[in-house]
Amino acid sequence: MCAPRSVYSWDIVIQRVGNKLFFDKRDGSQLDLLSVHETSQEPLPEAKEDINSAYSLSVEAAYINQNFSQQVLIRDGDKVTFDEPNPFANEGEEVASVAYRYRRWKLDDDMHLVARCEVQSVNEVNKQRSFLTLNALNEFDSKYSGVDWRQKLETQRGAVLATELKNNANKLAKWTAQALLASADYMKLGFVSRVHPRDHFNHVILAVQQYKPRDFASQINLNTSNMWGIVKSIVDLCMKLNEGKYVLVKDPSKPQVRIYEVPADAFENDYVEEPLPEEEQVQPPTEDAQGGEANGVTTEVVDKEIDAQA
């Protein structure tokens, strides 16, 4: 839905079975992490080990977001229990506070879309219940953004948010889309900063701001009709493909997504291979045998490209 704003590459696994389409992510996918400064003009360090590299910041942001969503809750408050239990919780295991809402939309006369959406908290005022989503923006070094949150948040919060919209347009659009899909009444944004710019383990919550998803979508110029248009275009394209498994990949250098056909058992190897004892390991080939061609899996490329701006 927010593909036009994305810069980094991502992928989604698509499986067509009969007249049904299943969209899912791979285990360990980049979608599990949160991008930081994705749409910024200021380049980040390229070394992956640097605490301010794109990967390190993504991992840090994911941890901050997860912890923030639990820290702002009233732990001893009355918990709201849905009719169905958490499908991902093992028996007797306490999991993070989250509720899954399965919602259905009509795309056209013969096509419906069902999605699992999330809300992280509930607020009850005057016996009126409201569902909320919780997310956290994070400041890692004011030298990159040019705005010091500790100095500007109280007096110029609009300027701080405007800078975040410039540097993290895709992330904020995705959070807003998720809140809209979950039919959340409010979305809360936390502003979390490092205690020290070189310490990426300790953080402090500086402020929390609440918005109505539809109002915030208008504020960040997120067109809901265009969001659904993108989904419908991809669904229509996939319904023309043969039954099988495909991968939708965002091109890292162009505003474009591509669809590749992959083997039916792709991405399903979830075992961990243990190394054989040294005496049982296959020895490397001799010099004479190294000229052969390597074996591999052939992946057919479906010649389909979609302009992400459509």
Side-chain angles (χ1 to χ4, degrees):
M1 284 186 160
C2 303
R5 301 184 183 222
S6 63
V7 176
Y8 297 155
S9 181
W10 44 264
D11 60 87
I12 295 174
V13 179
I14 303 172
Q15 191 161 1
R16 180 176 178 187
V17 181
N19 65 345
K20 295 183 177 65
L21 288 174
F22 297 90
F23 291 78
D24 203 353
K25 63 178 179 62
R26 295 181 294 105
D27 289 338
S29 167
Q30 188 70 21
L31 294 174
D32 290 324
L33 302 177
L34 295 173
S35 63
V36 179
H37 267 224
E38 179 177 358
T39 54
S40 171
Q41 300 301 314
E42 186 73 26
L44 296 172
E46 293 187 5
K48 195 173 181 180
E49 299 77 19
D50 193 301
I51 64 171
N52 290 335
S53 69
Y55 176 77
S56 298
L57 289 174
S58 292
V59 175
E60 180 183 355
Y63 278 117
I64 289 173
N65 205 67
Q66 187 176 39
N67 291 331
F68 171 80
S69 70
Q70 303 306 304
Q71 280 184 292
V72 296
L73 301 177
I74 301 174
R75 303 301 299 177
D76 300 328
D78 295 330
K79 291 186 178 180
V80 176
T81 304
F82 278 31
D83 294 336
E84 298 292 335
N86 189 321
F88 305 108
N90 297 323
E91 189 174 349
E93 179 185 26
E94 184 178 355
V95 294
S97 176
V98 62
Y100 296 103
R101 307 181 79 182
Y102 292 80
R103 306 194 66 223
R104 187 171 181 254
W105 294 267
K106 184 177 180 180
L107 298 183
D108 61 29
D109 292 338
D110 302 317
M111 191 179 299
H112 294 82
L113 182 145
V114 177
R116 184 180 67 238
C117 310
E118 295 182 12
V119 290
Q120 284 82 33
S121 65
V122 64
N123 189 22
E124 195 162 330
V125 180
N126 298 328
K127 296 185 179 180
Q128 188 72 29
R129 179 181 291 178
S130 302
F131 289 108
L132 296 87
T133 60
L134 305 171
N135 297 104
L137 294 164
N138 62 298
E139 179 188 48
F140 57 98
D141 193 334
S142 59
K143 292 179 182 177
Y144 284 90
S145 64
V147 179
D148 190 333
W149 286 9
R150 285 173 170 79
Q151 295 181 7
K152 303 290 186 181
L153 260 178
E154 289 299 319
T155 57
Q156 299 180 21
R157 189 166 298 183
V160 173
L161 184 60
T163 303
E164 288 303 300
L165 284 170
K166 179 171 66 94
N167 295 334
N168 296 287
N170 185 38
K171 179 167 67 176
L172 282 162
K174 285 166 66 176
W175 288 345
T176 308
Q178 288 168 357
L180 290 168
L181 292 176
S183 192
D185 299 285
Y186 297 98
M187 52 186 294
K188 281 187 179 288
L189 288 181
F191 294 84
V192 179
S193 178
R194 290 178 180 172
V195 172
H196 187 276
R198 298 305 301 172
D199 179 4
H200 63 298
F201 292 111
N202 298 296
H203 303 82
V204 59
I205 300 174
L206 300 178
V208 179
Q209 187 75 21
Q210 179 172 286
Y211 302 91
K212 289 185 177 181
R214 290 201 175 278
D215 294 345
F216 194 69
S218 299
Q219 187 175 341
I220 66 173
N221 198 28
L222 181 65
N223 188 322
T224 53
S225 297
N226 192 49
M227 283 165 37
W228 285 107
I230 293 170
V231 173
K232 184 67 165 60
S233 297
I234 292 175
V235 168
D236 287 343
L237 177 64
C238 292
M239 290 304 290
K240 295 176 184 177
L241 302 174
N242 297 325
E243 288 193 46
K245 185 176 284 189
Y246 303 85
V247 179
L248 180 76
V249 182
K250 160 68 173 63
D251 196 303
S253 57
K254 302 176 185 176
Q256 205 170 60
V257 291
R258 305 172 187 268
I259 294 181
Y260 298 89
E261 184 175 4
V262 295
D265 59 350
F267 316 121
E268 293 182 0
N269 293 332
D270 55 357
Y271 64 88
V272 177
E273 186 173 340
E274 295 185 4
L276 291 170
E278 189 173 349
E279 61 272 10
E280 297 181 25
Q281 292 182 12
V282 177
Q283 298 302 313
T286 61
E287 192 171 321
D288 294 340
Q290 288 182 351
E293 198 170 297
N295 294 325
V297 177
T298 302
T299 302
E300 181 184 350
V301 178
V302 180
D303 187 23
K304 297 287 185 183
E305 294 183 357
I306 306 168
D307 189 344
Q309 302 286 8

